[in-house]
Amino acid sequence: LAISTNAYSEAVLGKKPGQYSGEILNPNKWGGGIELAMLSDYYAMEICAIDVQTLKPYIYGEGKKHKERAYLIYNGIHYDVVEGMRNGKSHVRFSSTDHDALAKAVEIAKKAHEKKKFVNTATFSIRCETCGAGLVGTKEAQAHAEATGHVKFSQF
């Protein structure tokens, strides 16, 4: 964040950049689109996250003339990197103009979609591991955490 506080202001982050930086360093916190945009800037490459539920590709760093792109498959909770093979070696960096690589990454997401390998975080069922309360979606989980201080949840 220190390298791009103009781009990632309090208005974008929803809190002061210094506070946000401290929170995202917490290993119990997960990143999302803002962090992918930051990583795209830091590594000077596009990062394409394909949502398994909608099959929509979100390309961070698009229009910045980056020559390389990495692909991630997003299931609603977790990101998995897409690996390719070149000359018998695994790689995760593709040309940003390689339309076949994009098509193959979308195909991977499509196969996961067909197998229902995604989570809708607005409607999924979770349970508080502290008190056993059944909750629906992240909004209820966040409200429960704020009201009780309970922070351990599992999907059921």
Side-chain angles (χ1 to χ4, degrees), residues 7-85:
Y8 302 105
S9 66
E10 185 173 353
V12 172
L13 301 173
K15 56 188 72 174
K16 294 185 180 189
Q19 179 186 359
Y20 187 88
S21 293
E23 289 180 12
I24 201 62
L25 292 174
N26 179 339
N28 295 319
K29 297 266 184 174
W30 289 68
I34 291 173
E35 292 74 25
L36 292 177
M38 290 176 186
L39 289 168
S40 170
D41 289 343
Y42 182 80
Y43 288 107
M45 67 184 297
E46 293 179 355
I47 299 175
C48 178
I50 302 166
D51 185 312
V52 171
Q53 184 176 3
T54 65
L55 301 178
K56 180 175 173 40
Y58 296 89
I59 303 175
Y60 300 90
E62 188 172 34
K64 294 186 177 182
K65 300 183 181 178
H66 297 311
K67 294 181 181 179
E68 294 182 304
R69 181 186 291 167
Y71 291 95
L72 304 172
I73 305 298
Y74 179 61
N75 73 359
I77 295 178
H78 183 74
Y79 294 90
D80 287 308
V81 68
V82 174
E83 290 183 81
M85 294 296 289

Side-chain angles (χ1 to χ4, degrees), residues 109-128:
K110 186 176 181 182
K111 287 179 181 177
H113 178 87
E114 289 167 355
K115 294 178 181 177
K116 306 274 190 229
K117 300 283 186 178
F118 58 86
V119 176
N120 183 329
T121 58
T123 61
F124 73 142
S125 298
I126 53 178
R127 182 170 313 283
C128 174

